[in-house]
């Protein structure tokens, strides 16, 4: 009886550990995707700032 309970507890802990590993992998994938998205947004911001800066310079020259 005691050994059965230990084995059940072990199986429950293994299942919980596996679920944690799966969740961690999912979160890491989401984090990587978010970083890529933020990098693209950052690049777009930089381009727009440069275009606006050039436009302001042209306006001042005219």
């Amino acid at each position: 009886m005691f050994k059965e309970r230990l084995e059940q507890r072990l199986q429950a802990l293994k299942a919980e550990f596996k679920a944690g590993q799966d969740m961690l992998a999912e979160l890491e994938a989401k984090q990587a995707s978010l970083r890529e998205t933020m990098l693209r947004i950052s690049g777009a911001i930089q381009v727009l700032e440069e275009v606006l800066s050039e436009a302001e310079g042209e306006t001042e020259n005219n």
Side-chain angles (χ1 to χ4, degrees):
M1 178 106 176
F2 179 70
K3 184 179 177 185
E4 279 182 20
R5 285 192 297 169
L6 289 178
E7 288 174 351
Q8 288 175 348
R9 182 65 179 143
L10 176 60
Q11 292 305 317
L13 287 172
K14 285 183 176 182
E16 191 174 334
F17 186 82
K18 174 73 169 96
Q21 285 180 317
D22 293 345
M23 187 181 298
L24 182 59
E26 181 181 332
L27 289 172
E28 287 172 344
K30 286 182 180 181
Q31 181 183 37
S33 177
L34 181 56
R35 285 188 190 280
E36 290 174 14
T37 299
M38 291 178 67
L39 186 59
R40 285 194 301 272
I41 291 170
S42 175
I45 289 170
Q46 183 177 355
V47 168
L48 290 175
E49 287 176 340
E50 290 173 6
V51 168
L52 281 172
S53 178
E54 289 174 12
E56 288 175 5
E58 288 177 8
T59 302
E60 291 174 4
N61 290 337
N62 289 332

